[in-house]
Amino acid sequence: MPSCIECGGALFYDRELKHYTCSSCGATYTSQDLLIEREKKFNAKFEEERKKRRRDEYLEWWLSSKQ
Ligand SMILES: [Zn+2]
């Protein structure tokens, strides 16, 4: 079950209207909205890990250069 982008609440699918409605804040999303949002989140996480890895590599290099 997907969760709301705004508040993280549970989303329910409305078959007639063909969109998801949040049970907490009432926001509505199409499955396309959720897909795009999930991709964004995935990319942000990937980017963060990439930055973290680069920082670790730099630290490693910095420490080894001191020896
Ligand atoms: Zn919500």
Side-chain angles (χ1 to χ4, degrees), residues 15-64:
R15 278 170 200 275
E16 262 175 61
L17 297 170
K18 288 189 172 67
H19 67 205
Y20 290 89
T21 305
C22 176
S23 61
S24 301
C25 72
T28 57
Y29 306 102
T30 62
S31 50
Q32 185 71 13
D33 288 339
L34 294 174
L35 214 68
I36 290 166
E37 198 59 32
R38 196 162 57 187
E39 203 152 291
K40 260 194 241 167
K41 220 179 264 184
F42 179 81
N43 285 339
K45 195 170 174 238
F46 182 79
E47 185 66 20
E48 199 168 299
E49 272 169 21
R50 204 170 62 93
K51 273 187 201 156
K52 187 171 175 285
R53 199 157 48 229
R54 190 180 290 173
R55 203 160 53 220
D56 288 349
E57 272 169 16
Y58 176 76
L59 195 68
E60 219 165 90
W61 169 83
W62 188 81
L63 287 171
S64 66

